[in-house]
């Protein structure tokens, strides 16, 4: 990739942000988690109608090992919501953290919670009095930490088990059990103590079956609010302002300005993202600045720099530039660019810098009528001493390897809430290019009251083979819980195979049952089988979670 194209990519990120000078404070961030996955790839999160979530609300998810993922709510139940993500290739495990953006005009109608203060609250400071720009009907001061309950515990415990057989092997089977806990305001000063760990039994990257204790978050966080502008966090955690820099063993400190802007820095080690999460090999320091249009963060842009050393030898120089534009009712935009800079010790790259990762999402939804989504993703592999990939790849292959993908999705809703949709994706890499096309319809109540039934035809031109087929799916909420069924029939053509083996039929059947076990429980029981010519692969699994 030449330098001029690199600068064009950076400019595409910065332009929307600098075009908007000031925006209204219109959103409130409501934390959530992914609680289950549907067979069609959509996600279920643990927030619903009782939390004032509505169809069309924006959702932002932050996985531990990749860029921030954007989505939108398409269905709402009392305690849960169905979310469609823009990047259909993103892998988001159950438990992924995120938030939904709720308009403050809606949350202002929420009844205020009445709590007993632990001590006499101090009088409001002078800056809490009415000032130009505040609501004319008055201003309610948010409660201070010493006015909130101490040591409020919330979290979840979960267990997941999968029995998988494919290619005469059981290596993809696993058992996971974990706990994810937050203790808010433990000392009465507004801090948060976090712990997220799990026990895993699975086949490791060494191809050997083993057990591991994995710690994803063991940290204490304090500040970063209007009462405590200085923010700091220590332990193992994913930085909230720059999750693109990855999981960190160390500390960060930052300052939140009155308008919501944030500046910060961090120091610590980067754990390897494998089954052991070993640390102490890759030291990093980082600094960043996040500009926001207001505390509602309707418009944001950020820039950050990370320097790392692998076993005390200079390794990566990374700059991340990102922006987000989320109006109340207009086109949404989100874009992020990772730029790696190279010096004399980087032998595989000829340019002084390259865009090693870039993504952009542009979406618009018209309530009750339809929507459009466009997504672009670029990925190449930087010249690093740190091993980012579990498999062994020749350095010369990594130097030129890349993938670019552009996709478009459009749908329209009829008066009967029937959805007609189409999705087109084109891709190219260092070896080949291809495309995917899909057209389908989903209708409510077609076969069963309270359920949706869909049919789609698709054509996938992949690397070394193509698949054309039809997909049927049916699912809905019933008195016992949730039921989803999926069946696919595909015609597979394999390039370079003998004529008697190059064309095959592929059958896939998926079943997911989500029994209703009560408000504190989430459960998914699923089965998936694929008959590929004469080869049968199948998976059986269960996921059980309890909130507290």
């Amino acid at each position: 990739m030449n330098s001029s194209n690199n600068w064009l990519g950076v400019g595409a990120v910065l332009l929307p942000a600098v075009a908007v000078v000031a925006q209204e404070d219109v959103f409130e961030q409501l934390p959530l988690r992914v609680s289950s996955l549907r067979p069609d790839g959509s996600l279920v999160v643990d927030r619903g109608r009782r939390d004032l979530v509505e169809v069309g609300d924006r959702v932002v998810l932050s996985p531990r090992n990749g860029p921030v993922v954007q989505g939108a709510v398409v269905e709402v139940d009392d305690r849960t919501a169905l979310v469609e993500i823009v990047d259909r290739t993103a892998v988001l495990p159950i438990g992924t953290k995120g938030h939904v953006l709720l308009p403050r005009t809606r949350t202002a109608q929420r009844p205020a919670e009445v709590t007993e203060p632990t001590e006499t609250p101090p009088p409001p400071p002078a800056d809490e009095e009415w000032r130009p720009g505040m609501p004319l009907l008055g201003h309610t001061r948010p409660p201070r930490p010493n006015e909130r309950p101490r040591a409020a515990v919330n979290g979840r415990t979960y267990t997941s088990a999968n029995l998988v057989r494919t290619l005469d092997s059981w290596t993809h089977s696993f058992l996971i059990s974990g706990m994810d806990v937050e203790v808010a305001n433990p000392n009465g000063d507004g801090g948060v103590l976090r712990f997220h760990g799990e026990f895993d039994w699975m086949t490791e990257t060494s191809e050997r079956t083993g057990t591991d204790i994995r710690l994803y978050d063991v940290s204490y966080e304090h500040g970063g609010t209007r009462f405590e502008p200085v923010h700091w966090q220590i332990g193992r955690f994913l930085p909230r302002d720059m999750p693109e820099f990855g999981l960190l063993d160390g500390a960060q400190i930052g300052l939140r300005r009155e308008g919501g802007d944030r500046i910060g820095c961090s120091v610590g080690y980067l754990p390897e993202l494998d089954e052991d999460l070993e640390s102490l090999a890759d030291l990093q320091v980082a600094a960043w600045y996040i500009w926001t249009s207001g505390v509602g963060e309707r418009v944001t842009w950020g820039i950050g720099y990370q320097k790392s050393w692998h076993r005390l030898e200079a390794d990566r120089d990374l700059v991340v530039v990102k922006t987000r534009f989320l109006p109340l009712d207009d086109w949404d935009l989100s874009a992020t660019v990772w730029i790696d800079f190279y010096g004399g010790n980087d032998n595989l790259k000829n340019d002084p810098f390259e865009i090693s990762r870039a993504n952009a999402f542009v979406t618009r939804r018209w309530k009750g009528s339809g929507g459009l989504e466009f997504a672009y993703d670029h990925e190449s592999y930087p010249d690093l001493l740190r091993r980012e990939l579990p498999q062994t790849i020749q350095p010369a292959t990594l130097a030129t390897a890349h993938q670019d993908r552009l996709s478009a999705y459009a749908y329209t809703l009829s008066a009967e809430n029937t959805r007609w949709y189409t999705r087109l994706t084109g891709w190219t890499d260092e070896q080949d290019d291809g495309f995917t096309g899909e057209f389908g319809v989903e209708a409510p109540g077609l076969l069963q009251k309270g359920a949706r039934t869909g049919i789609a035809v698709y054509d996938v031109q992949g690397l070394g083979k193509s698949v054309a087929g039809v997909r049927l799916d049916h699912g809905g909420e019933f008195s016992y819980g949730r039921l989803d069924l999926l069946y696919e029939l595909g015609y597979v053509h394999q390039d370079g195979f003998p004529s008697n083996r190059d064309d095959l039929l592929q059958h896939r059947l998926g079943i997911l049952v989500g029994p209703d076990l009560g408000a504190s429980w989430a459960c998914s029981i699923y089965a998936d089988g694929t008959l590929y010519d004469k080869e049968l692969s199948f998976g059986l699994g269960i996921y059980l979670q309890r909130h507290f």
Side-chain angles (χ1 to χ4, degrees), residues 6 47 125 177 201 253 296 313 395 453 467 490 503 541:
N6 287 338
R47 295 289 189 175
S177 184
W201 177 88
I253 187 169
E313 185 175 352
T453 305
V467 183
D503 294 325

Side-chain angles (χ1 to χ4, degrees), residues 64-65 237-239 242-248 270-271 273 306:
R64 287 186 296 269
N65 59 346
F237 55 91
L238 187 68
M242 273 290 174
E244 293 83 1
F245 285 156
L247 201 63
L248 179 68
L270 301 172
L273 298 179
Q306 182 185 57

